[in-house]
Amino acid sequence: MIQLHIATVITKALDNKNYQVEDVLDLLETPKHPHLGDVAFPCFTLAKYVKKSPASIASELKDKLHDSWIDRVEVKGGYLNLFVKREIASSHILKDVLNAKEGYGSMPAKNERIVIDYSSPNIAKPFSMGHLRSTVIGNSLAKISEKNGYQVVRVNHLGDWGTQFGKLIVAYKLWGSRKLVEQEPIKQLLELYVHFHAEAKKNDTLNNQARAAFKALEDGDHEALDLWKWFKEESLKEFKEVYDLLDISFDYELGEAFYNDKMKAVVSELESKKLLTLSEGAYVVELDSMPPCLITKKDGATLYATRDLAAAIYRQQTFYASKAFYVVGNEQSLHFQQLFSVLKQMGYEWADHMQHIGFGMMLKDGSKMSTRQGKVVLLAEVLVEAIQLAKETMRGKHETQEDLETVAKQVGVGAVIFHDLKNLRTHDVEFSLDHMMSFEGDTGPYVQYTFARISTLLKKGNYDYAPGHPLQFTDDYEWQVISLIDQFPRVVEQAFEQADPSQVAKYSLQLARAFNKYYAHTKILVDDEDKLSSKLSFCYAVSIVLKESLSLLGIQAPVKM
Ligand code: ARG
């Protein structure tokens, strides 16, 4: 808001039709040191147009800048450094937040839709910490996209089809027990899967059997189909528990199997567009500067990529989206390059608006967690443990056991989500329960705690927001907080442009830290009524922005911790 206001004032003073407000806004900078001003306007590009030195443009401009927001202006080199009148700017910014509440930073609704494909775990395999990344990044991107004015379609592309089901069927028939699977479905199914791989190393015929079993499944064999359905139902029950804990839901849960009856059409379309090449009995699409994309195997079975082609076409025809995000780990980046490239060869221009939103791995003690060797941290277990730790930390702080349980869930789950989102999405994350649960460090609980602290203050001060409350600006600590609040809408925009929730997570930490610094230096619950109400309004505005930041990450904000 400050930058926008200053840009408007400068544009007017420039009075040059080549410079609209947006152009000036693009040029504005924030000086590295506060003693150099709040906003800087570099005059170098302008100098090329008007054939004067940047320094003389700056000093001429300086004399024309008169505005209630501007305290003083200094010319330094080719820069115009502006100092803002803090009491004026801050009351505008705070009023903006207090009026808009959770709508602060929201962009007007666009008539544009984004399909976000995220979470997408594999049936009969554990919901691992690896899938957590896709789930929480996707959920946060969905919220960030909505905040930026888009309509969002949330899709869970369940991995419920593929040769692994052939393996599982063979393994279950050889070594499985119905009773055990019913007791602990995913654990048992995982064990069968791991066992299959160990045995197949010694006995290669198992792999052939598995291929045949999957082919039977694709051909609609009853026994195979019944087993598959059962594996799927049992797995979904467990996934549902995780989604409930994370408070995440989807508009569509369309697994890969949903596209089975749409596969033939895709293959014949590829054929009629002369894109298929026969290669050792399999059909592929040749691609420039990439390995070919496998469409059907020797035995006619389709692949992951074939199903993704069908899914992309189906989604486009169903949702008319202007963008599509695939939130899937970096290790699948070749798959998505191939997918987009095949779609382009098919003549689908909309493939240009599809984006693979990759992310780094979740590491445990420096190495990848993989389900094959059974080295896996189960997400559900992690969440339960995090909730338990939160409960222990907060014991005695809540009036009823029920309150404690509710808040412990919000804090434990919030800690896990925040830990995942605070780093640049493309980086690997080292999983550490101890670190994520700290109430002091760069953690979710720290931001939540700051919010709860403010809520307590508002309660103690009997605060009730009414428009028109006086807002008296106090000091530098307050200004640090207010200039962060001022940046929030830009952060929301950047997080969307870079499809990176860590921008919001980092921002929330900065805001919490700045507020806590202010809080350490200022007495808030003072006797003077006007002063009290002004301070509490300021605190309330901070709490609104903290809560909204957490909400964009998919994290709740308890009022008491
Ligand atoms: N189920 C896949 C996996 O766990 C991820 C699916 C991602 N979405 C997609 N449309 N390919 O590896």
Side-chain angles (χ1 to χ4, degrees):
M1 184 178 204
I2 295 180
Q3 295 221 344
L4 182 62
H5 184 88
I6 298 292
T8 315
V9 176
I10 293 180
T11 310
K12 226 184 193 165
L14 278 175
D15 194 20
N16 178 326
K17 59 180 180 314
N18 291 315
Y19 281 85
Q20 305 299 318
V21 177
E22 304 81 65
D23 308 309
V24 173
L25 192 58
D26 276 344
L27 289 172
L28 290 184
E29 294 173 14
T30 305
K32 292 225 164 51
H33 300 287
H35 72 265
L36 292 174
D38 299 302
V39 185
F41 180 63
C43 301
F44 306 98
T45 39
L46 197 65
K48 285 181 218 146
Y49 276 99
V50 292
K51 304 210 169 61
K52 282 184 196 164
S53 77
S56 56
I57 298 175
S59 29
E60 276 173 33
L61 204 51
K62 179 186 166 185
D63 298 330
K64 293 192 205 150
L65 294 179
H66 303 289
D67 181 78
S68 64
W69 285 48
I70 299 175
D71 187 33
R72 66 201 154 87
V73 185
E74 284 173 4
V75 175
K76 260 218 156 70
Y79 281 94
L80 207 56
N81 290 341
L82 297 105
F83 294 79
V84 164
K85 265 200 194 114
R86 299 186 165 181
E87 56 285 6
I88 305 272
S90 70
S91 88
H92 277 101
I93 294 164
L94 291 176
K95 266 186 209 142
D96 216 22
V97 180
L98 294 168
N99 289 333
K101 303 228 170 45
E102 66 271 14
Y104 177 63
S106 300
M107 304 275 279
K110 292 182 182 49
N111 199 8
E112 267 187 65
R113 206 168 291 155
I114 308 184
V115 174
I116 308 187
D117 174 321
Y118 65 108
S119 193
S120 312
N122 299 320
I123 297 301
K125 287 205 196 167
F127 199 120
S128 69
M129 287 297 281
H131 282 112
L132 168 76
R133 297 224 65 199
S134 170
T135 308
V136 302
I137 293 171
N139 181 54
S140 175
L141 283 181
K143 288 171 189 268
I144 290 169
S145 304
E146 280 169 346
K147 186 98 183 153
N148 277 273
Y150 291 90
Q151 297 162 25
V152 174
V153 183
R154 294 158 158 87
V155 182
N156 193 356
H157 189 69
L158 291 168
D160 60 359
W161 207 248
T163 43
Q164 70 269 30
F165 290 99
K167 294 176 185 172
L168 209 57
I169 288 170
V170 170
Y172 177 74
K173 283 182 24 190
L174 284 174
W175 313 295
S177 132
R178 183 150 201 120
K179 218 171 118 203
L180 287 179
V181 172
E182 271 165 3
Q183 276 164 10
E184 283 180 305
I186 293 190
K187 184 155 177 279
Q188 287 299 323
L189 294 172
L190 175 65
E191 271 174 23
L192 285 172
Y193 188 69
V194 172
H195 193 65
F196 179 90
H197 276 272
E199 291 297 315
K201 267 193 198 139
K202 293 180 261 165
N203 173 5
D204 194 46
T205 60
L206 281 174
N207 282 319
N208 292 334
Q209 288 180 42
R211 264 190 287 276
F214 178 55
K215 187 72 177 55
L217 190 59
E218 288 215 302
D219 294 341
D221 175 80
H222 280 299
E223 190 196 9
L225 218 57
D226 283 348
L227 278 176
W228 170 79
K229 265 192 204 136
W230 177 55
F231 296 156
K232 183 168 169 173
E233 277 161 19
E234 295 297 329
S235 309
L236 281 178
K237 271 188 220 154
E238 283 201 40
F239 292 165
K240 178 89 171 56
E241 281 170 29
V242 173
Y243 292 134
D244 285 350
L245 274 176
L246 291 171
D247 197 15
I248 281 176
S249 58
F250 299 89
D251 301 309
Y252 297 91
E253 271 190 330
L254 299 179
E256 293 182 34
F258 175 77
Y259 301 99
N260 279 346
D261 64 356
K262 298 166 182 64
M263 230 62 112
K264 256 205 195 108
V266 174
V267 177
S268 24
E269 187 180 339
L270 286 166
E271 199 169 16
S272 71
K273 291 183 173 166
K274 307 229 172 329
L275 296 172
L276 286 185
T277 314
L278 197 59
S279 160
E280 295 170 37
Y283 278 105
V284 305
V285 176
E286 300 283 353
L287 299 168
D288 287 341
S289 60
M290 266 180 255
C293 180
L294 250 169
I295 303 296
T296 53
K297 290 195 199 172
K298 261 205 291 259
D299 59 8
T302 58
L303 290 105
Y304 180 52
T306 330
R307 293 187 283 279
D308 252 334
L309 280 172
I313 296 168
Y314 172 83
R315 287 175 194 172
Q316 190 58 28
Q317 289 167 349
T318 313
F319 306 124
Y320 303 104
S322 58
K323 284 189 209 306
F325 293 162
Y326 289 86
V327 187
V328 188
N330 285 339
E331 61 274 20
Q332 290 195 24
S333 82
L334 176 62
H335 165 75
F336 286 104
Q337 281 170 33
Q338 292 175 314
L339 175 68
F340 302 158
S341 173
V342 173
L343 288 167
K344 280 287 282 197
Q345 291 208 35
M346 292 173 90
Y348 294 128
E349 291 304 320
W350 43 259
D352 284 337
H353 305 292
M354 305 185 115
Q355 234 178 308
H356 171 215
I357 310 291
F359 51 81
M361 285 186 290
M362 182 67 85
L363 305 175
K364 176 93 174 134
D365 307 321
S367 65
K368 193 194 167 184
M369 300 166 159
S370 128
T371 43
R372 260 195 212 165
Q373 294 99 41
K375 181 190 173 187
V376 69
V377 176
L378 299 185
L379 178 56
E381 286 170 14
V382 167
L383 291 173
V384 168
E385 207 176 324
I387 293 169
Q388 189 55 33
L389 280 174
K391 217 187 272 179
E392 277 157 29
T393 314
M394 296 184 301
R395 206 170 284 289
K397 298 255 166 62
H398 296 268
E399 267 146 45
T400 65
Q401 183 64 19
E402 207 186 327
D403 285 355
L404 177 65
E405 304 272 342
T406 310
V407 176
K409 186 184 147 198
Q410 294 171 331
V411 173
V413 172
V416 175
I417 297 178
F418 196 91
H419 182 73
D420 190 304
L421 293 181
K422 74 172 183 188
N423 297 303
L424 214 59
R425 122 177 103 69
T426 46
H427 287 183
D428 292 342
V429 177
E430 176 68 39
F431 174 75
S432 157
L433 200 56
D434 286 341
H435 184 210
M436 66 176 82
M437 291 307 301
S438 156
F439 278 36
E440 291 297 325
D442 293 348
T443 64
Y446 172 71
V447 180
Q448 286 174 318
Y449 188 63
T450 310
F451 173 82
R453 185 176 239 181
I454 298 178
S455 304
T456 306
L457 277 171
L458 297 176
K459 201 168 163 207
K460 276 196 188 146
N462 274 324
Y463 181 72
D464 192 11
Y465 171 70
H469 264 343
L471 290 164
Q472 304 169 0
F473 174 71
T474 50
D475 61 13
D476 235 31
Y477 292 106
E478 185 176 333
W479 179 248
Q480 295 309 320
V481 179
I482 287 177
S483 45
L484 278 169
I485 291 182
D486 185 42
Q487 287 162 30
F488 180 69
R490 185 73 197 115
V491 171
V492 170
E493 217 174 3
Q494 268 168 352
F496 177 77
E497 282 161 9
Q498 296 166 22
D500 189 12
S502 76
Q503 310 259 343
V504 177
K506 289 205 181 89
Y507 171 85
S508 71
L509 284 170
Q510 281 179 336
L511 183 59
R513 269 192 228 113
F515 176 79
N516 285 320
K517 242 190 205 157
Y518 159 86
Y519 184 62
H521 285 88
T522 320
K523 188 166 161 25
I524 293 172
L525 299 174
V526 290
D527 292 332
D528 181 305
E529 273 199 21
D530 277 356
K531 280 203 179 112
L532 174 70
S533 124
S534 157
K535 281 172 191 240
L536 290 177
S537 287
F538 163 74
C539 292
Y540 180 48
V542 177
S543 77
I544 289 172
V545 182
L546 279 178
K547 186 175 177 181
E548 186 60 11
S549 303
L550 287 171
S551 154
L552 290 176
L553 301 171
I555 299 175
Q556 299 189 12
V559 290
K560 195 169 175 191
M561 269 172 76

